[in-house]
């Protein structure tokens, strides 16, 4: 969209739009220029879903964690969920061994007291979690993870912290079996304005999110979202898994380069970033 240089009639409210006070855009139907008042600009819409074959019609699994924070090398996993399109699921509550900050509790609702009273010991729970994910990878089942580089790097750092074998060591491979709806959405609709949280992107594609920042709800939303994107973009759905993986890695690197050009730290690695296990501050 661009500022209109000439006056026109708003495509929505049909009132006059003075020159320089509205926005012009190409019509989707006949490629002509149309004008909007700023407050009349319609929200972006995803394409209509299609009925084509692709990876979205094969068995898929999904993985999500909630944690004490967003620092891969420092923060700890508090809850985790794994589920698949066959209806199997695993939910874990973990005692992270540290105080859960109030900000993290405000996000996912899990307090230190709850985790200590009902959570499992981290080494045992993390080992079971990694074994479950590794079984899917060994079977060739793609795992859907929203913002995969966060969840996988945090998991690998936690396994390192507790002296446990990595996910890669258990599975023998991670490539090409990761599907990241966040990376895919940024790839197919790069210039769409607005946030890209899981809830926002689900709403854009008409996917119901049963409850944000709950690991079990996020995994179901991830599965539904990945399928929704594939149904709307046949060129993505029809990629073989190796090409899909390479396209996601390249798209993430492009996004990281964009943020780095604006002075923000951005690791171009995907789907696993730098793994480290640092001590809890304080």
């Amino acid at each position: 969209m661009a500022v209109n240089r000439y006056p026109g009639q708003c495509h929505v409210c049909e009132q006059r739009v003075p020159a320089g006070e509205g926005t012009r855009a190409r019509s989707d139907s006949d490629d002509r220029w149309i004008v909007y008042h700023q407050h009349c600009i319609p929200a972006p819409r995803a394409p209509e879903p299609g009925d084509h074959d692709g990876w979205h019609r094969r068995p898929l699994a999904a993985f999500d964690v909630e944690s004490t924070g967003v620092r891969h090398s420092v923060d700890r996993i508090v809850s985790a969920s794994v589920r698949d399109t066959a209806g199997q699921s695993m939910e874990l509550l973990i005692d992270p061994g540290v105080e859960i900050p109030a900000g993290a509790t405000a996000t996912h609702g899990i307090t230190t007291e709850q985790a200590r009273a009902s959570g499992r010991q981290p080494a045992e729970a993390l080992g079971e979690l990694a074994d479950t994910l590794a079984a899917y990878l060994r079977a060739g089942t793609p795992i859907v993870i929203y913002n995969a580089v966060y969840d996988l790097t945090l998991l690998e750092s936690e396994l390192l912290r507790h002296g446990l074998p990595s996910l890669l060591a258990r599975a023998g491979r991670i490539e090409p079996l990761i599907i990241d709806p966040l990376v895919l959405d940024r790839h197919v609709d790069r210039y769409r304005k607005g946030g890209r949280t899981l809830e926002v992107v689900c709403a854009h594609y008409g996917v119901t999110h049963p409850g944000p920042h709950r690991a079990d709800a996020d995994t179901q939303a991830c599965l539904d979202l990945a399928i929704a994107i594939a149904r709307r973009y046949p060129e993505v759905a029809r990629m073989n898994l190796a090409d899909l993986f390479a396209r996601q890695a390249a798209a993430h690197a492009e996004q990281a380069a964009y943020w780095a050009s604006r002075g923000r730290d951005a690791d171009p690695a995907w789907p696993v970033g730098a793994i480290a296990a640092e001590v809890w501050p304080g």
Side-chain angles (χ1 to χ4, degrees):
M1 290 188 176
V3 174
N4 62 308
R5 294 192 296 170
Y6 305 100
Q9 183 183 48
C10 179
H11 191 64
V12 174
C13 71
E14 300 184 346
Q15 300 300 308
R16 184 175 183 275
V17 183
E21 294 186 14
T23 297
R24 64 188 176 98
R26 289 284 189 184
S27 170
D28 292 334
S29 59
D30 55 15
D31 203 37
R32 64 188 175 89
W33 286 104
I34 54 179
V35 179
Y36 299 100
H37 289 108
Q38 291 293 342
H39 59 274
C40 290
I41 298 173
R45 294 187 301 172
E48 291 298 314
D51 185 22
H52 47 265
D53 290 331
W55 52 259
H56 61 297
R57 288 184 167 174
R58 66 180 292 167
L60 300 170
F63 165 54
D64 185 76
V65 302
E66 299 296 334
S67 64
T68 59
V70 298
R71 301 161 297 179
H72 298 142
S73 61
V74 174
D75 282 297
R76 315 295 169 87
I77 295 174
V78 175
S79 68
S81 173
V82 182
R83 67 180 56 234
D84 62 32
T85 48
Q88 299 182 53
S89 65
M90 180 181 74
E91 317 298 336
L92 294 172
L93 177 64
I94 302 172
D95 177 4
V98 299
E99 292 284 334
I100 300 174
T105 296
T107 297
H108 51 59
I110 302 170
T111 66
T112 302
E113 292 71 26
Q114 289 172 324
R116 287 176 177 170
S118 303
R120 294 174 56 183
Q121 291 304 298
E124 177 188 15
L126 292 166
E128 181 178 337
L129 173 61
D131 281 343
T132 299
L133 295 173
Y136 283 113
L137 294 170
R138 289 195 301 269
T141 302
I143 301 177
V144 180
I145 313 170
Y146 197 84
N147 194 15
V149 72
Y150 171 74
D151 294 69
L152 287 177
T153 307
L154 180 59
L155 173 61
E156 292 286 56
S157 295
E158 279 276 67
L159 293 171
L160 175 64
R161 173 175 291 108
H162 293 281
L164 299 170
S166 69
L167 177 60
L168 179 59
R170 294 168 194 256
R173 62 172 177 170
I174 292 177
E175 181 178 347
L177 296 170
I178 303 301
I179 297 173
D180 188 337
L182 173 60
V183 174
L184 288 181
D185 178 55
R186 284 174 172 164
H187 171 57
V188 299
D189 200 355
R190 181 179 303 185
Y191 301 109
R192 187 177 78 246
K193 294 182 178 180
R196 301 270 180 161
T197 64
L198 177 58
E199 308 91 88
V200 169
V201 177
C202 279
H204 177 69
Y205 288 97
V207 171
T208 299
H209 193 303
H213 299 299
R214 286 187 5 234
D216 58 338
D218 284 349
T219 48
Q220 185 60 58
C222 278
L223 283 174
D224 295 341
L225 179 58
I227 293 168
I229 292 173
R231 290 184 65 202
R232 286 160 174 81
Y233 293 95
E235 68 277 13
V236 170
R238 292 175 179 142
M239 285 184 181
N240 64 54
L241 292 178
D243 289 343
L244 181 67
F245 189 94
R247 180 61 264 178
Q248 291 177 102
H252 177 83
E254 290 167 7
Q255 182 73 17
Y258 170 82
W259 288 122
S261 70
R262 282 153 178 76
R264 290 177 55 174
D265 290 335
D267 187 348
W270 181 94
V272 182
I275 301 166
E278 299 179 24
V279 298
W280 187 256

